[in-house]
Amino acid sequence: MSGTFSHIPVMASEVLEGLSVKENGLYIDCTVGGGGHSIEIARRLNKGKLIAIDKDCDALDAAKERLKGYNVEFVHDDFKNVLKTLPQADGILMDLGVSSYQIDTPERGFSYKYDSLLDMRMDTSASMTAHEVINGYSEERLAKIMFEYGEERFSRKIASRIVEYRRTSPIERTLELVSIIEKSIPVKYRYSGGHPAKRVFQAIRIEVNKELQGLYEAVISGARGLVKGGRICVISFHSLEDRIIKNAFKYLESDCICDKSSPICTCDKVSEVRLITKKPLTASEEELKSNKRAESAKLRIAEKR
Ligand code: SAH
């Protein structure tokens, strides 16, 4: 594996303030990555403990190195599988999506800038790669994914070219895919919305890692697993993700889920959290100057009642 783990934690001071770490508390970092947020949490603990989860073994190795000497338990899994099984926590953090390290490591295949096999798995022990999505999915399914997960307006065109191309031979490499995408977008629009392959790569990555499936449920069960007064902080990086977090928080906060047409409340729903952020927080001007990844970040915080 090439490169060192380089990733600047996004909105770190806002997250730490949001979590309001208690020195003897139990904290869960669902997406430890290189441990940028975790180290700040761990430093504030005395008798407390941190559980650090990631589905990427390279990330866990980097985090283990960085968090040496602190009371941390590492878990290699998708946080969606484990949140329900963990003890009651004082705080939970989810910093969703990919790390700069994953993007900047060419052989992981996340980047449209480097030539590599089509991989894009966060968990390299998982069976499905971008190669299977690109070469195995039907034209309709590819178009739908690119449209929904990447908001790619030329999704049909691109899907049709992919299918045409792979009839001759399978699409093996990232730059082959980039070239197909480029040729599918009319010249006039090709460079108008950033790199022409940016949206498709995002979409395929979301599909390969099933990033949105089960996220809503994980946020709900995570929040329910907090102690009274415990906090959940979630950073999302695109609108689909943020909408899921917003809706999960809204459901948790609401004290009635009866149909609007019902004259009286017949549900037993109680408000489970207090929203600390009515609107999501975004990165400061200062942070944006030094961390490009923070550009689309939205942080939402809720407190267990
Ligand atoms: N906060 C970290 C960076 C996190 S980047 C830091 O400051 O260093 C996001 C990380 O979350 C990546 O390492 C990715 O592999 C992991 N990840 C994303 N979705 C996940 C999921 N559902 N379960 C476990 N890990 C996940």
Side-chain angles (χ1 to χ4, degrees):
M1 193 52 57
S2 70
T4 49
F5 205 108
S6 134
H7 177 103
I8 312 169
V10 169
M11 300 181 78
S13 57
E14 291 86 346
V15 164
L16 286 159
E17 196 178 315
L19 285 174
S20 78
V21 179
K22 295 196 215 68
E23 60 174 22
N24 58 351
L26 172 68
Y27 292 85
I28 303 172
D29 186 345
C30 294
T31 51
V32 66
H37 290 105
S38 268
I39 189 126
E40 294 302 328
I41 298 171
R43 277 191 185 129
R44 287 165 172 76
L45 299 175
N46 182 9
K47 293 211 169 70
K49 180 180 169 180
L50 173 68
I51 298 177
I53 309 169
D54 207 294
K55 57 189 203 178
D56 182 336
C57 284
D58 288 348
L60 279 176
D61 286 346
K64 278 178 193 163
E65 196 53 40
R66 188 137 183 223
L67 293 160
K68 250 186 197 154
Y70 293 103
N71 187 17
V72 187
E73 180 187 332
F74 294 92
V75 180
H76 175 229
D77 206 336
D78 191 310
F79 65 76
K80 293 165 197 160
N81 299 332
V82 285
L83 274 179
K84 266 196 193 139
T85 66
L86 296 175
Q88 269 203 319
D90 294 276
I92 293 178
L93 168 64
M94 295 176 187
D95 175 16
L96 300 169
V98 275
S99 66
S100 311
Y101 171 78
Q102 287 165 331
I103 297 270
D104 296 337
T105 305
E107 58 268 39
R108 300 295 297 267
F110 284 104
S111 174
Y112 46 79
K113 290 187 192 150
Y114 310 115
D115 193 29
S116 138
L117 289 173
L118 282 166
D119 191 326
M120 302 198 198
R121 286 170 302 170
M122 289 176 181
D123 182 353
T124 49
S125 66
S127 57
M128 196 177 67
T129 65
H131 186 277
E132 283 173 67
V133 174
I134 294 296
N135 291 289
Y137 280 21
S138 69
E139 183 173 336
E140 293 69 34
R141 199 163 168 207
L142 280 172
K144 191 164 181 273
I145 287 166
M146 292 188 275
F147 184 72
E148 285 183 4
Y149 295 168
E151 295 171 80
E152 173 54 65
R153 57 191 289 209
F154 298 104
S155 54
R156 282 169 186 278
K157 240 337 214 309
I158 300 168
S160 140
R161 280 220 182 218
I162 289 175
V163 171
E164 195 186 304
Y165 189 103
R166 74 188 191 196
R167 263 191 212 118
T168 329
S169 62
I171 302 164
E172 303 284 357
R173 306 196 66 88
T174 47
L175 292 192
E176 267 181 285
L177 179 60
V178 169
S179 137
I180 297 169
I181 297 166
E182 280 174 335
K183 285 184 197 129
S184 315
I185 303 179
V187 179
K188 191 167 133 197
Y189 300 103
R190 206 168 283 170
Y191 296 97
S192 55
H195 191 286
K198 187 173 152 193
R199 293 171 297 278
V200 173
F201 270 61
Q202 172 183 300
I204 304 298
R205 187 204 93 201
I206 292 174
E207 174 63 17
V208 168
N209 297 292
K210 302 272 175 259
E211 290 179 41
L212 304 178
Q213 277 94 323
L215 183 57
Y216 181 89
E217 292 77 9
V219 171
I220 305 256
S221 66
R224 285 185 176 155
L226 289 167
V227 300
K228 186 175 160 31
R231 296 274 182 95
I232 177 164
C233 296
V234 186
I235 310 176
S236 62
F237 291 90
H238 53 86
S239 55
L240 289 170
E241 214 167 54
D242 183 56
R243 198 175 315 142
I244 292 174
I245 310 308
K246 180 178 160 188
N247 288 336
F249 276 19
K250 195 168 153 200
Y251 176 80
L252 286 161
E253 191 211 17
S254 72
D255 58 3
C256 174
I257 48 166
C258 288
D259 195 283
K260 289 227 169 33
S261 62
S262 164
I264 52 159
C265 173
T266 53
C267 72
D268 295 327
K269 178 77 172 72
V270 290
S271 174
E272 299 166 82
V273 302
R274 182 167 76 87
L275 299 186
I276 303 296
T277 50
K278 301 272 179 257
K279 285 203 177 118
L281 303 179
T282 52
S284 67
E285 287 293 324
E286 200 50 39
E287 177 170 359
L288 291 176
K289 278 186 211 154
S290 57
N291 193 1
K292 218 173 160 323
R293 188 173 175 265
E295 264 169 20
S296 53
K298 289 195 169 146
L299 168 62
R300 293 185 185 268
I301 307 168
E303 181 182 283
K304 178 87 185 294
R305 286 191 197 272

